[in-house]
Amino acid sequence: MTTSREIRLARRPEPGSDATVECFDIVDVTLPEPADGEVVVENHFFSVDPYMRGRMNDVRSYVPPFAVGEPLQGGAVGVVVASRDPKLPEGTVVLSMFGWRERYVAPGSALQPLPPPPPGVSPSAYLGVLGVPGFTAWIGVTLIAPVADGDVVFVSAAAGAVGSIAGQLAPLRGASLVIGSAGSPAKVASLTDEFGYDAGFSHRDGKPGDHLARLAPKGVDVYFDNVGGEQLRAAIDAMRAFGRIALCGSISTGYHGGAGTAIDNLGLAVGKRLTLRGFIVSDHFDQQPEFLAEVGGLLAEGKIATRETVHESLDSAPDAFLGLFAGGDQIGKVVISCGGTGRPAGR
Ligand code: NDP
């Protein structure tokens, strides 16, 4: 008999309000025996991501809402500990969308076997720099708001999972000045100390527009927008002619469906001939091999800095998730370690 614990959506947050710990239930479960073609997986790491807040609302978006009473879903890296699928023998490391739980039974066809990460790199990198956040950063600076020689680049949520990689890819595309914003002194320090930014500022200290005027007096060519709201407004003011904005996320609205800051200077986009382009990274999976070749290579050569904030145990997941919206010092990719042993069942 295999037991597990999983986190379920206990109830939806109030419309227009932040999520709270009461929205989550941690439940003990007994897993069924795997049928033919199925495997038992023990998760080692799973991801908490801002987009999951949108899935807590009863609103259909580019991904369906989470169901009340059901386990949450999200990226996870685990090890097959019992197998009835010859393609996934015991010991295979797999990527899945069965996060927010310690163990699960699933068809092997729903799982993606993972190659070993570069030496010295944790497999949790497949949830961060080598996973969706790293790919999002790569698509943003490569395709959506391509960075060119001499560009001045501004990235918000710059110490986060996506921003910390976008800020490092920009100079490799030729950026001459890369500025980041973050929400705490430790995060702002990490921008220049760890992630290679030329300058950083706190969006909680003064007006973003004043910081941009000080740090980029000649204006900004590319804005990688992870937050929307006041920083998007300030970036539009600061953009130079033919500037490009990658609309990646709008976390300043909390993804709770409430009203955000009005972007009342969009008229400037006409005269400045700006391009503002929203994107969802899953539309671009055909380019994943190119991304993995470049960023995997940089990682193997130690040319890209990564940071993870790792929380031990499933129980910490709700607070870690809520922390993405509350500010604080979670730097880089936030992952939950389930403490799995990875030993095949019975050994
Ligand atoms: P992060 O690791 O950057 O965590 C989110 C960060 O957002 C927080 O740590 C916080 O940083 C910042 N933040 C939270 N609330 C606010 C606020 N009110 N105003 C300003 N900043 C705030 O998350 P990710 O790197 O995973 O994601 C970054 C963005 O990219 C998110 O908006 C996410 O939804 C989006 N995204 C989009 C994808 C796509 O396909 N378009 C794919 C993946 C992510 P700080 O404390 O520094 O303010």
Side-chain angles (χ1 to χ4, degrees):
M1 187 178 75
T2 308
T3 57
S4 177
R5 292 187 311 145
E6 61 188 30
I7 301 184
R8 297 180 182 170
L9 181 63
R11 61 173 190 237
R12 297 195 190 283
E14 292 299 317
S17 300
D18 293 334
T20 61
V21 285
E22 286 75 31
C23 297
F24 304 89
D25 248 351
I26 301 182
V27 180
D28 291 309
V29 292
T30 302
L31 299 180
E33 289 299 315
D36 266 353
E38 290 187 332
V39 296
V40 183
V41 175
E42 186 169 274
N43 274 337
H44 284 201
F45 300 99
F46 67 86
S47 178
V48 290
D49 300 276
Y51 82 95
M52 293 167 175
R53 175 63 187 84
R55 295 191 72 183
M56 295 171 80
N57 302 333
D58 193 13
V59 175
R60 209 179 157 80
S61 175
Y62 64 97
V63 271
F66 292 133
V68 175
E70 293 293 320
L72 300 169
Q73 296 158 15
V77 170
V79 174
V80 174
V81 291
S83 177
R84 294 192 62 190
D85 179 347
K87 291 196 196 111
L88 294 180
E90 291 176 5
T92 309
V93 179
V94 290
L95 182 68
S96 80
M97 283 302 287
F98 296 104
W100 296 87
R101 65 203 85 183
E102 292 172 337
R103 293 173 200 82
Y104 59 88
V105 174
S109 56
L111 313 177
Q112 182 187 335
L114 287 170
V121 174
S122 163
S124 55
Y126 286 108
L127 302 174
V129 60
L130 296 177
V132 166
F135 188 33
T136 303
W138 188 90
I139 281 288
V141 301
T142 307
L143 183 75
I144 308 297
V147 176
D149 266 354
D151 277 349
V152 174
V153 176
F154 168 44
V155 181
S156 52
V162 174
S164 62
I165 305 302
Q168 294 181 79
L169 293 176
L172 300 175
R173 301 285 187 275
S176 60
L177 176 67
V178 186
I179 297 161
S181 67
S184 77
K187 282 182 167 178
V188 173
S190 75
L191 300 180
T192 47
D193 296 352
E194 279 184 57
F195 301 128
Y197 281 84
D198 297 298
F201 69 86
S202 168
H203 65 83
R204 297 188 197 282
D205 177 16
K207 293 184 179 168
D210 292 344
H211 289 292
L212 288 176
R214 174 175 58 87
L215 296 170
K218 292 184 181 161
V220 170
D221 298 291
V222 168
Y223 172 42
F224 196 117
D225 180 28
N226 285 314
V227 305
E230 186 54 34
Q231 296 193 67
L232 174 55
R233 204 183 167 287
I236 291 172
D237 275 344
M239 294 309 282
R240 286 209 277 231
F242 301 101
R244 286 134 276 146
I245 299 181
L247 297 171
C248 177
S250 188
I251 197 169
S252 72
T253 63
Y255 296 134
H256 49 42
T261 304
I263 307 299
D264 58 6
N265 59 347
L266 206 48
L268 292 175
V270 179
K272 294 190 184 194
R273 286 85 102 202
L274 302 184
T275 304
L276 291 83
R277 186 172 167 194
F279 72 106
I280 294 296
V281 70
S282 53
D283 292 334
H284 302 281
F285 275 140
D286 57 320
Q287 297 193 44
Q288 206 178 20
E290 236 181 292
F291 150 71
L292 284 173
E294 181 179 355
V295 176
L298 290 169
L299 194 60
E301 291 169 30
K303 290 186 176 161
I304 198 159
T306 62
R307 171 94 167 253
E308 291 176 349
T309 295
V310 183
H311 296 270
E312 303 297 333
S313 104
L314 182 94
D315 307 74
S316 56
D319 281 334
F321 170 72
L322 297 175
L324 293 171
F325 302 88
D329 279 339
Q330 301 193 102
I331 297 179
K333 175 68 197 138
V334 182
V335 291
I336 312 302
S337 164
C338 296
T341 62
R343 278 196 301 275
R347 290 189 201 167

